[in-house]
PDB file of all heavy atoms in Angstrom:
ATOM      1  N   VAL A   1       7.555   5.964   1.381  1.00  0.00           N
ATOM      2  CA  VAL A   1       8.897   5.653   0.811  1.00  0.00           C
ATOM      3  C   VAL A   1       9.925   6.692   1.326  1.00  0.00           C
ATOM      4  O   VAL A   1       9.691   7.719   1.967  1.00  0.00           O
ATOM      5  CB  VAL A   1       8.766   5.673  -0.728  1.00  0.00           C
ATOM      6  CG1 VAL A   1       7.858   4.637  -1.196  1.00  0.00           C
ATOM      7  CG2 VAL A   1       8.385   7.041  -1.299  1.00  0.00           C
ATOM      8  N   ASN A   2      11.134   6.269   0.983  1.00  0.00           N
ATOM      9  CA  ASN A   2      12.368   7.106   1.419  1.00  0.00           C
ATOM     10  C   ASN A   2      12.598   7.092   2.920  1.00  0.00           C
ATOM     11  O   ASN A   2      12.922   8.110   3.546  1.00  0.00           O
ATOM     12  CB  ASN A   2      12.309   8.587   0.896  1.00  0.00           C
ATOM     13  CG  ASN A   2      11.833   8.627  -0.525  1.00  0.00           C
ATOM     14  OD1 ASN A   2      11.026   9.511  -0.888  1.00  0.00           O
ATOM     15  ND2 ASN A   2      12.456   7.760  -1.469  1.00  0.00           N
ATOM     16  N   GLY A   3      12.168   5.967   3.623  1.00  0.00           N
ATOM     17  CA  GLY A   3      12.551   5.846   4.992  1.00  0.00           C
ATOM     18  C   GLY A   3      11.552   6.554   5.936  1.00  0.00           C
ATOM     19  O   GLY A   3      11.924   7.062   6.994  1.00  0.00           O
ATOM     20  N   CYS A   4      10.237   6.523   5.622  1.00  0.00           N
ATOM     21  CA  CYS A   4       9.221   7.071   6.464  1.00  0.00           C
ATOM     22  C   CYS A   4       8.994   6.317   7.745  1.00  0.00           C
ATOM     23  O   CYS A   4       9.300   5.078   7.759  1.00  0.00           O
ATOM     24  CB  CYS A   4       7.937   7.174   5.750  1.00  0.00           C
ATOM     25  SG  CYS A   4       7.918   8.496   4.455  1.00  0.00           S
ATOM     26  N   PHE A   5       8.519   6.985   8.850  1.00  0.00           N
ATOM     27  CA  PHE A   5       7.946   6.335   9.941  1.00  0.00           C
ATOM     28  C   PHE A   5       6.428   6.157   9.816  1.00  0.00           C
ATOM     29  O   PHE A   5       5.824   7.261   9.874  1.00  0.00           O
ATOM     30  CB  PHE A   5       8.288   7.013  11.275  1.00  0.00           C
ATOM     31  CG  PHE A   5       7.918   6.264  12.491  1.00  0.00           C
ATOM     32  CD1 PHE A   5       8.568   5.270  12.942  1.00  0.00           C
ATOM     33  CD2 PHE A   5       6.788   6.620  13.181  1.00  0.00           C
ATOM     34  CE1 PHE A   5       8.159   4.511  14.159  1.00  0.00           C
ATOM     35  CE2 PHE A   5       6.362   5.966  14.287  1.00  0.00           C
ATOM     36  CZ  PHE A   5       7.026   4.963  14.771  1.00  0.00           C
ATOM     37  N   SER A   6       5.870   5.066   9.430  1.00  0.00           N
ATOM     38  CA  SER A   6       4.588   4.881   8.988  1.00  0.00           C
ATOM     39  C   SER A   6       3.832   4.017   9.956  1.00  0.00           C
ATOM     40  O   SER A   6       4.156   2.831  10.179  1.00  0.00           O
ATOM     41  CB  SER A   6       4.577   4.296   7.553  1.00  0.00           C
ATOM     42  OG  SER A   6       3.220   4.014   7.142  1.00  0.00           O
ATOM     43  N   VAL A   7       2.670   4.527  10.483  1.00  0.00           N
ATOM     44  CA  VAL A   7       1.790   3.867  11.331  1.00  0.00           C
ATOM     45  C   VAL A   7       0.412   3.790  10.751  1.00  0.00           C
ATOM     46  O   VAL A   7      -0.129   4.859  10.528  1.00  0.00           O
ATOM     47  CB  VAL A   7       1.804   4.356  12.787  1.00  0.00           C
ATOM     48  CG1 VAL A   7       0.922   3.564  13.682  1.00  0.00           C
ATOM     49  CG2 VAL A   7       3.231   4.362  13.376  1.00  0.00           C
ATOM     50  N   ASN A   8      -0.083   2.588  10.560  1.00  0.00           N
ATOM     51  CA  ASN A   8      -1.509   2.501   9.990  1.00  0.00           C
ATOM     52  C   ASN A   8      -2.352   1.579  10.754  1.00  0.00           C
ATOM     53  O   ASN A   8      -2.002   0.390  10.961  1.00  0.00           O
ATOM     54  CB  ASN A   8      -1.280   1.920   8.504  1.00  0.00           C
ATOM     55  CG  ASN A   8      -0.307   2.749   7.716  1.00  0.00           C
ATOM     56  OD1 ASN A   8      -0.685   3.764   7.165  1.00  0.00           O
ATOM     57  ND2 ASN A   8       0.949   2.362   7.624  1.00  0.00           N
ATOM     58  N   TYR A   9      -3.547   2.006  11.205  1.00  0.00           N
ATOM     59  CA  TYR A   9      -4.370   1.365  12.023  1.00  0.00           C
ATOM     60  C   TYR A   9      -5.712   1.219  11.351  1.00  0.00           C
ATOM     61  O   TYR A   9      -6.446   2.162  10.938  1.00  0.00           O
ATOM     62  CB  TYR A   9      -4.626   2.031  13.390  1.00  0.00           C
ATOM     63  CG  TYR A   9      -5.565   1.352  14.238  1.00  0.00           C
ATOM     64  CD1 TYR A   9      -5.173   0.241  14.957  1.00  0.00           C
ATOM     65  CD2 TYR A   9      -6.789   1.855  14.445  1.00  0.00           C
ATOM     66  CE1 TYR A   9      -6.197  -0.385  15.784  1.00  0.00           C
ATOM     67  CE2 TYR A   9      -7.754   1.208  15.284  1.00  0.00           C
ATOM     68  CZ  TYR A   9      -7.358   0.095  15.996  1.00  0.00           C
ATOM     69  OH  TYR A   9      -8.269  -0.516  16.742  1.00  0.00           O
ATOM     70  N   ASP A  10      -6.302  -0.048  11.260  1.00  0.00           N
ATOM     71  CA  ASP A  10      -7.667  -0.313  10.760  1.00  0.00           C
ATOM     72  C   ASP A  10      -7.799   0.215   9.400  1.00  0.00           C
ATOM     73  O   ASP A  10      -8.893   0.767   9.038  1.00  0.00           O
ATOM     74  CB  ASP A  10      -8.665   0.227  11.719  1.00  0.00           C
ATOM     75  CG  ASP A  10      -9.973  -0.432  11.554  1.00  0.00           C
ATOM     76  OD1 ASP A  10     -10.042  -1.555  11.103  1.00  0.00           O
ATOM     77  OD2 ASP A  10     -11.068   0.245  11.935  1.00  0.00           O
ATOM     78  N   CYS A  11      -6.775   0.076   8.500  1.00  0.00           N
ATOM     79  CA  CYS A  11      -6.905   0.635   7.109  1.00  0.00           C
ATOM     80  C   CYS A  11      -7.169  -0.585   6.216  1.00  0.00           C
ATOM     81  O   CYS A  11      -6.605  -1.688   6.488  1.00  0.00           O
ATOM     82  CB  CYS A  11      -5.589   1.326   6.730  1.00  0.00           C
ATOM     83  SG  CYS A  11      -5.244   2.827   7.585  1.00  0.00           S
ATOM     84  N   THR A  12      -7.753  -0.354   5.083  1.00  0.00           N
ATOM     85  CA  THR A  12      -7.988  -1.323   4.076  1.00  0.00           C
ATOM     86  C   THR A  12      -7.596  -0.835   2.736  1.00  0.00           C
ATOM     87  O   THR A  12      -8.101   0.294   2.286  1.00  0.00           O
ATOM     88  CB  THR A  12      -9.602  -1.681   3.971  1.00  0.00           C
ATOM     89  OG1 THR A  12      -9.886  -2.156   5.270  1.00  0.00           O
ATOM     90  CG2 THR A  12      -9.840  -2.757   3.023  1.00  0.00           C
ATOM     91  N   MET A  13      -6.772  -1.499   2.012  1.00  0.00           N
ATOM     92  CA  MET A  13      -6.280  -1.273   0.663  1.00  0.00           C
ATOM     93  C   MET A  13      -6.514  -2.328  -0.205  1.00  0.00           C
ATOM     94  O   MET A  13      -6.001  -3.426   0.047  1.00  0.00           O
ATOM     95  CB  MET A  13      -4.790  -0.805   0.729  1.00  0.00           C
ATOM     96  CG  MET A  13      -4.440   0.387   1.611  1.00  0.00           C
ATOM     97  SD  MET A  13      -4.936   1.963   0.916  1.00  0.00           S
ATOM     98  CE  MET A  13      -5.497   2.800   2.507  1.00  0.00           C
ATOM     99  N   TYR A  14      -7.348  -2.114  -1.210  1.00  0.00           N
ATOM    100  CA  TYR A  14      -7.781  -3.249  -2.089  1.00  0.00           C
ATOM    101  C   TYR A  14      -6.860  -3.372  -3.270  1.00  0.00           C
ATOM    102  O   TYR A  14      -5.621  -3.251  -3.128  1.00  0.00           O
ATOM    103  CB  TYR A  14      -9.249  -2.970  -2.498  1.00  0.00           C
ATOM    104  CG  TYR A  14     -10.344  -3.013  -1.517  1.00  0.00           C
ATOM    105  CD1 TYR A  14     -10.812  -1.764  -0.975  1.00  0.00           C
ATOM    106  CD2 TYR A  14     -10.707  -4.301  -1.022  1.00  0.00           C
ATOM    107  CE1 TYR A  14     -11.755  -1.828   0.023  1.00  0.00           C
ATOM    108  CE2 TYR A  14     -11.683  -4.288  -0.022  1.00  0.00           C
ATOM    109  CZ  TYR A  14     -12.188  -3.152   0.514  1.00  0.00           C
ATOM    110  OH  TYR A  14     -13.115  -3.177   1.578  1.00  0.00           O
ATOM    111  N   ASP A  15      -7.359  -3.779  -4.465  1.00  0.00           N
ATOM    112  CA  ASP A  15      -6.558  -4.135  -5.535  1.00  0.00           C
ATOM    113  C   ASP A  15      -5.892  -2.919  -6.308  1.00  0.00           C
ATOM    114  O   ASP A  15      -6.545  -1.837  -6.471  1.00  0.00           O
ATOM    115  CB  ASP A  15      -7.304  -4.928  -6.598  1.00  0.00           C
ATOM    116  CG  ASP A  15      -7.648  -6.319  -6.093  1.00  0.00           C
ATOM    117  OD1 ASP A  15      -6.750  -7.021  -5.835  1.00  0.00           O
ATOM    118  OD2 ASP A  15      -8.878  -6.666  -6.029  1.00  0.00           O
ATOM    119  N   SER A  16      -4.711  -3.149  -6.812  1.00  0.00           N
ATOM    120  CA  SER A  16      -4.060  -2.192  -7.641  1.00  0.00           C
ATOM    121  C   SER A  16      -4.334  -2.577  -9.061  1.00  0.00           C
ATOM    122  O   SER A  16      -4.499  -3.680  -9.458  1.00  0.00           O
ATOM    123  CB  SER A  16      -2.496  -2.365  -7.471  1.00  0.00           C
ATOM    124  OG  SER A  16      -1.846  -1.723  -8.549  1.00  0.00           O
ATOM    125  N   THR A  17      -4.505  -1.525  -9.934  1.00  0.00           N
ATOM    126  CA  THR A  17      -4.775  -1.615 -11.373  1.00  0.00           C
ATOM    127  C   THR A  17      -3.476  -1.785 -12.168  1.00  0.00           C
ATOM    128  O   THR A  17      -3.504  -1.944 -13.433  1.00  0.00           O
ATOM    129  CB  THR A  17      -5.603  -0.549 -11.991  1.00  0.00           C
ATOM    130  OG1 THR A  17      -4.896   0.696 -11.722  1.00  0.00           O
ATOM    131  CG2 THR A  17      -6.975  -0.556 -11.294  1.00  0.00           C
ATOM    132  N   ARG A  18      -2.375  -1.760 -11.563  1.00  0.00           N
ATOM    133  CA  ARG A  18      -0.981  -1.824 -12.185  1.00  0.00           C
ATOM    134  C   ARG A  18      -0.908  -3.195 -12.817  1.00  0.00           C
ATOM    135  O   ARG A  18      -1.476  -4.212 -12.364  1.00  0.00           O
ATOM    136  CB  ARG A  18       0.208  -1.646 -11.248  1.00  0.00           C
ATOM    137  CG  ARG A  18       1.445  -1.335 -11.932  1.00  0.00           C
ATOM    138  CD  ARG A  18       2.380  -0.793 -10.862  1.00  0.00           C
ATOM    139  NE  ARG A  18       3.686  -0.425 -11.433  1.00  0.00           N
ATOM    140  CZ  ARG A  18       3.877   0.701 -12.243  1.00  0.00           C
ATOM    141  NH1 ARG A  18       2.928   1.479 -12.450  1.00  0.00           N
ATOM    142  NH2 ARG A  18       5.136   0.969 -12.695  1.00  0.00           N
ATOM    143  N   VAL A  19      -0.229  -3.269 -14.066  1.00  0.00           N
ATOM    144  CA  VAL A  19      -0.216  -4.533 -14.782  1.00  0.00           C
ATOM    145  C   VAL A  19       0.435  -5.745 -14.094  1.00  0.00           C
ATOM    146  O   VAL A  19      -0.067  -6.750 -13.929  1.00  0.00           O
ATOM    147  CB  VAL A  19       0.390  -4.329 -16.229  1.00  0.00           C
ATOM    148  CG1 VAL A  19       0.566  -5.742 -16.969  1.00  0.00           C
ATOM    149  CG2 VAL A  19      -0.452  -3.297 -17.029  1.00  0.00           C
ATOM    150  N   ALA A  20       1.705  -5.370 -13.472  1.00  0.00           N
ATOM    151  CA  ALA A  20       2.471  -6.404 -12.794  1.00  0.00           C
ATOM    152  C   ALA A  20       3.598  -5.707 -12.036  1.00  0.00           C
ATOM    153  O   ALA A  20       3.796  -4.557 -12.205  1.00  0.00           O
ATOM    154  CB  ALA A  20       2.969  -7.340 -13.862  1.00  0.00           C
ATOM    155  N   GLY A  21       4.391  -6.528 -11.307  1.00  0.00           N
ATOM    156  CA  GLY A  21       5.601  -6.075 -10.580  1.00  0.00           C
ATOM    157  C   GLY A  21       5.308  -5.930  -9.192  1.00  0.00           C
ATOM    158  O   GLY A  21       4.288  -6.018  -8.598  1.00  0.00           O
ATOM    159  N   ASN A  22       6.395  -5.635  -8.446  1.00  0.00           N
ATOM    160  CA  ASN A  22       6.369  -5.671  -6.998  1.00  0.00           C
ATOM    161  C   ASN A  22       5.681  -4.359  -6.497  1.00  0.00           C
ATOM    162  O   ASN A  22       5.349  -4.311  -5.327  1.00  0.00           O
ATOM    163  CB  ASN A  22       7.781  -5.692  -6.347  1.00  0.00           C
ATOM    164  CG  ASN A  22       8.664  -4.544  -6.736  1.00  0.00           C
ATOM    165  OD1 ASN A  22       8.296  -3.714  -7.625  1.00  0.00           O
ATOM    166  ND2 ASN A  22       9.834  -4.360  -6.161  1.00  0.00           N
ATOM    167  N   THR A  23       5.363  -3.413  -7.273  1.00  0.00           N
ATOM    168  CA  THR A  23       4.624  -2.221  -6.982  1.00  0.00           C
ATOM    169  C   THR A  23       3.127  -2.366  -7.168  1.00  0.00           C
ATOM    170  O   THR A  23       2.308  -1.478  -7.044  1.00  0.00           O
ATOM    171  CB  THR A  23       5.070  -1.031  -7.588  1.00  0.00           C
ATOM    172  OG1 THR A  23       5.168  -1.144  -9.082  1.00  0.00           O
ATOM    173  CG2 THR A  23       6.503  -0.644  -7.147  1.00  0.00           C
ATOM    174  N   LYS A  24       2.770  -3.547  -7.744  1.00  0.00           N
ATOM    175  CA  LYS A  24       1.338  -3.938  -7.778  1.00  0.00           C
ATOM    176  C   LYS A  24       0.845  -4.516  -6.401  1.00  0.00           C
ATOM    177  O   LYS A  24       0.919  -5.638  -6.104  1.00  0.00           O
ATOM    178  CB  LYS A  24       0.995  -4.934  -8.792  1.00  0.00           C
ATOM    179  CG  LYS A  24      -0.466  -5.259  -9.003  1.00  0.00           C
ATOM    180  CD  LYS A  24      -0.632  -6.251 -10.230  1.00  0.00           C
ATOM    181  CE  LYS A  24      -2.081  -6.647 -10.397  1.00  0.00           C
ATOM    182  NZ  LYS A  24      -2.896  -5.553 -10.686  1.00  0.00           N
ATOM    183  N   SER A  25       0.725  -3.588  -5.390  1.00  0.00           N
ATOM    184  CA  SER A  25       0.715  -3.950  -3.985  1.00  0.00           C
ATOM    185  C   SER A  25      -0.354  -3.044  -3.323  1.00  0.00           C
ATOM    186  O   SER A  25      -0.520  -1.840  -3.705  1.00  0.00           O
ATOM    187  CB  SER A  25       2.051  -3.774  -3.371  1.00  0.00           C
ATOM    188  OG  SER A  25       2.058  -4.087  -2.053  1.00  0.00           O
TER     189      SER A  25
END
């Protein structure tokens, strides 16, 4: 966040436990 230069290769991110919303990602 806040304008980072982000490079992600061969990464896996599964489920969020957040209840709802655009940050359940």
Side-chain angles (χ1 to χ4, degrees):
V1 299
N2 316 134
C4 288
F5 184 78
S6 171
V7 179
N8 305 280
Y9 177 76
D10 200 22
C11 294
T12 302
M13 300 290 147
Y14 294 103
D15 287 304
S16 165
T17 58
R18 196 161 181 78
V19 175
N22 64 350
T23 54
K24 184 177 176 63
S25 181

